[in-house]
Amino acid sequence: MISREPTLERLATAQALLLTPFGLNESHLTRALAEITAHKVDDADLYFQYTRSEGWSLEEGIVKTGSFSIDQGVGVRAVAGEKTAFAYSDDISEASLMDAARTVRTISSAAQSRRVKTRARKVAGSRSLYNGLDPIATLDSTAKVELLGRVEKLARSRDPRIVQVMAGLASEYDVVMVARADGTLAADVRPLVRLSVTVIAEQKGRREVGSGGGGGRFGLAYFSDAQIAEYVDDAVKAALTNLEARPAPAGVMTVVLGPGWPGVLLHEAVGHGLEGDFNRKGSSAFSGRIGQRVAAKGVTVLDDGTITDRRGSLNVDDEGHATQCNVLIEDGILRGYIQDSMNARLSGVKPTGNGRRESYAHVPMPRMTNTYMPGGDRDPQEIVASIQKGLYATNFAGGQVDITSGKFVFSASEAFWVENGKIQYPVKGATIVGSGPEALKRVTMIGNDMRLDSGVGTCGKEGQSVPVGVGQPTLRIEGLTVGGTA
């Protein structure tokens, strides 16, 4: 059997789903782009998308929901200066495509921009970060429900204090095609799965919640018995730990963050501030600071959309550019921002493969992929043992950040009080308050245990949600404010 080069294979899949059934071919795309660029615009693109998704949830041994949906459409965009005109339709046809093209080109009427001429076709470069399978088809419906049943049975068997179990399984098959005015033609076939488990533990009238789960860009066979057991153990451990938790102390103190998912603090407090749109507009705490020290020595922050099978990875971004590993901070020095096409052009730099959109009905903007801090040289146990009095936070429920000031607030869902280098007891109700730029400068110890999250992250920005990854090693940070309940 002769297989096609991966990029051409994805292009053929996209054409079979998004063009051929509607009587379209590449000449129609060229014609639509020519219609837009007949006026003075700086950029233009067409974004076709076909998404099939399925979800199952189980609670108290009963299938509570089962859903299946198919969505498809096309988004048409023209950019002139800082202005964007955008139209989209779930009707993929030559008539709607040309109508959208004529609509968005009107943005040029008030713009003083150069005219872009459509160029000869060029196919995006070859790469294959994940298998382009349809994950929904990798298990039948009966097997999916049985999988959730195994999750519940296993969770209940772990401890008699587990009184309620909720499990969910989600699968998505996403096919996109991008045609740009510069001649670029790109396609991607993106599988995505996620298994989640939430448990409630009860003891002496007190109830606490714990959660676990993960996923990525692969089929449902990934969720082996061993993998399910790991997710269940995480959820049960969190719930039982919180049953013993005491009110969290408050004050300014040393905080040690555990590896993996606590990298969500890095994502929110630092990552968003390094997105190109905020920095071009001067609204980020990191604006205009390229080449300056913004973090302690040893602190490096990467955004890498090329990690195999990861939830935040993409073969190409939603503008047809190949994703890449971007060094944002290197040994404490700010090296760059993440960029989409428009902000890169206006900033005089190249796109970084971070143009992302929720769907064909949304415009792209600079967004993170997998954002993490590489490991250092310290043993994590040594880092915890170095705490005289402080907080050891191993999991977070969520948080928020003010991009302009860099200030953040995060809620720890699993944390421990440490004295004289020893964990004393779990605490509840701890919130960590600080400034992203300042917190980076106060990193004093970096563990050698860098870990990416299990594949659960979803990032929201301006009403759009996209899958992302986070990660970090164990970190010791000085002088963070902890808001507690004690």
Side-chain angles (χ1 to χ4, degrees):
M1 178 179 176
I2 299 175
S3 60
R4 271 188 288 197
E5 188 276 333
T7 299
L8 297 179
E9 187 70 44
R10 289 192 294 269
L11 205 51
T13 299
Q15 289 172 333
L17 282 171
L18 292 163
L19 299 185
T20 304
F22 309 102
L24 298 177
N25 54 44
E26 289 184 33
S27 66
H28 293 99
L29 311 189
T30 302
R31 199 176 309 148
L33 288 167
E35 184 73 24
I36 300 171
T37 56
H39 283 202
K40 292 181 179 179
V41 296
D42 287 301
D43 201 1
D45 59 24
L46 314 175
Y47 182 83
F48 294 84
Q49 184 177 32
Y50 170 92
T51 304
R52 188 164 66 245
S53 58
E54 181 185 79
W56 297 89
S57 70
L58 181 142
E59 185 175 344
E60 297 302 310
I62 301 171
V63 176
K64 289 290 186 178
T65 61
S67 62
F68 180 82
S69 67
I70 296 177
D71 191 19
Q72 61 191 23
V74 58
V76 180
R77 179 177 65 142
V79 181
E82 297 184 29
K83 296 181 179 180
T84 297
F86 181 71
Y88 69 91
S89 174
D90 59 6
D91 172 26
I92 301 178
S93 66
E94 181 181 6
S96 64
L97 187 63
M98 295 306 293
D99 184 52
R102 284 187 286 269
T103 299
V104 301
R105 75 176 189 176
T106 58
I107 192 174
S108 65
S109 60
Q112 301 298 318
S113 304
R114 62 186 177 86
R115 175 175 170 175
V116 172
K117 292 184 179 179
T118 52
R119 300 174 188 170
R121 176 186 188 263
K122 57 178 181 180
V123 177
S126 175
R127 69 184 337 170
S128 186
L129 301 176
Y130 35 82
N131 192 325
L133 51 72
D134 177 1
I136 298 173
T138 56
L139 281 182
D140 62 30
S141 297
T142 301
K144 291 168 186 171
V145 173
E146 288 176 349
L147 187 156
L148 294 178
R150 294 204 306 274
V151 171
E152 182 187 42
K153 184 177 179 180
L154 189 61
R156 288 187 180 278
S157 71
R158 287 294 194 254
D159 195 281
R161 290 171 290 179
I162 301 299
V163 296
Q164 192 170 353
V165 181
M166 293 150 282
L169 184 65
S171 310
E172 182 178 280
Y173 179 65
D174 190 36
V175 180
V176 303
M177 174 183 280
V178 184
R180 298 182 58 83
D182 67 2
T184 297
L185 188 64
D188 204 1
V189 180
R190 304 167 176 171
L192 189 64
V193 297
R194 178 176 173 178
L195 176 64
S196 60
V197 54
T198 300
V199 302
I200 297 177
E202 184 174 10
Q203 177 178 269
K204 298 178 181 179
R206 177 176 176 176
R207 287 191 161 205
E208 296 292 347
V209 177
S211 61
R217 297 196 180 280
F218 32 66
L220 295 170
Y222 176 80
F223 300 122
S224 62
D225 287 344
Q227 190 61 68
I228 290 171
E230 182 179 323
Y231 295 156
V232 167
D233 289 345
D234 287 343
V236 171
K237 174 179 172 290
L240 297 182
T241 296
N242 284 328
L243 279 178
E244 309 297 330
R246 305 179 193 178
V252 177
M253 64 186 71
T254 297
V255 174
V256 170
L257 305 176
W261 178 247
V264 68
L265 189 148
L266 185 75
H267 169 102
E268 293 287 355
V270 179
H272 278 298
L274 298 177
E275 291 171 335
D277 47 356
F278 298 127
N279 287 281
R280 179 180 63 80
K281 297 172 184 176
S283 58
S284 168
F286 294 99
S287 297
R289 301 188 65 187
I290 298 289
Q292 297 180 20
R293 177 164 297 281
V294 296
K297 286 186 67 64
V299 173
T300 293
V301 178
L302 307 176
D303 184 85
D304 189 355
T306 70
I307 308 174
T308 303
D309 292 338
R310 294 300 303 182
R311 181 175 170 85
S313 295
L314 302 169
N315 285 310
V316 292
D317 72 2
D318 294 325
E319 297 182 304
H321 297 115
T323 53
Q324 57 193 49
C325 180
N326 299 297
V327 179
L328 305 179
I329 298 173
E330 183 180 28
D331 198 20
I333 306 299
L334 182 60
R335 297 300 185 193
Y337 308 119
I338 56 178
Q339 304 283 0
D340 64 348
S341 292
M342 184 184 79
N343 287 285
R345 173 177 53 80
L346 292 170
S347 300
V349 297
K350 293 182 178 180
T352 60
N354 291 88
R356 305 191 64 187
R357 57 179 109 198
E358 181 177 322
S359 76
Y360 68 87
H362 300 83
V363 296
M365 63 181 78
R367 306 290 300 273
M368 285 172 276
T369 55
N370 303 297
T371 309
Y372 65 96
M373 181 187 297
D377 60 358
R378 307 301 285 267
D379 184 283
Q381 293 181 338
E382 174 194 2
I383 296 176
V384 175
S386 72
I387 305 173
Q388 291 303 304
K389 279 190 177 182
L391 191 74
Y392 176 38
T394 56
N395 209 347
F396 286 96
Q400 58 187 17
V401 62
D402 182 300
I403 298 298
T404 302
S405 66
K407 292 181 179 179
F408 60 80
V409 179
F410 274 84
S411 300
S413 59
E414 186 177 54
F416 302 86
W417 181 246
V418 181
E419 287 187 21
N420 299 318
K422 294 186 178 181
I423 294 175
Q424 301 297 312
Y425 49 83
V427 297
K428 184 176 175 61
T431 58
I432 298 176
V433 182
S435 162
E438 289 304 313
L440 285 182
K441 293 176 182 176
R442 295 176 181 175
V443 173
T444 56
M445 300 177 80
I446 303 174
N448 58 12
D449 58 340
M450 198 291 288
R451 191 169 76 215
L452 296 171
D453 75 289
S454 61
V456 298
T458 298
C459 173
K461 178 181 176 181
E462 296 183 21
Q464 293 192 43
S465 296
V466 296
V468 297
V470 301
Q472 68 172 45
T474 298
L475 296 178
R476 173 172 166 149
I477 306 176
E478 309 300 332
L480 289 181
T481 299
V482 175
T485 51

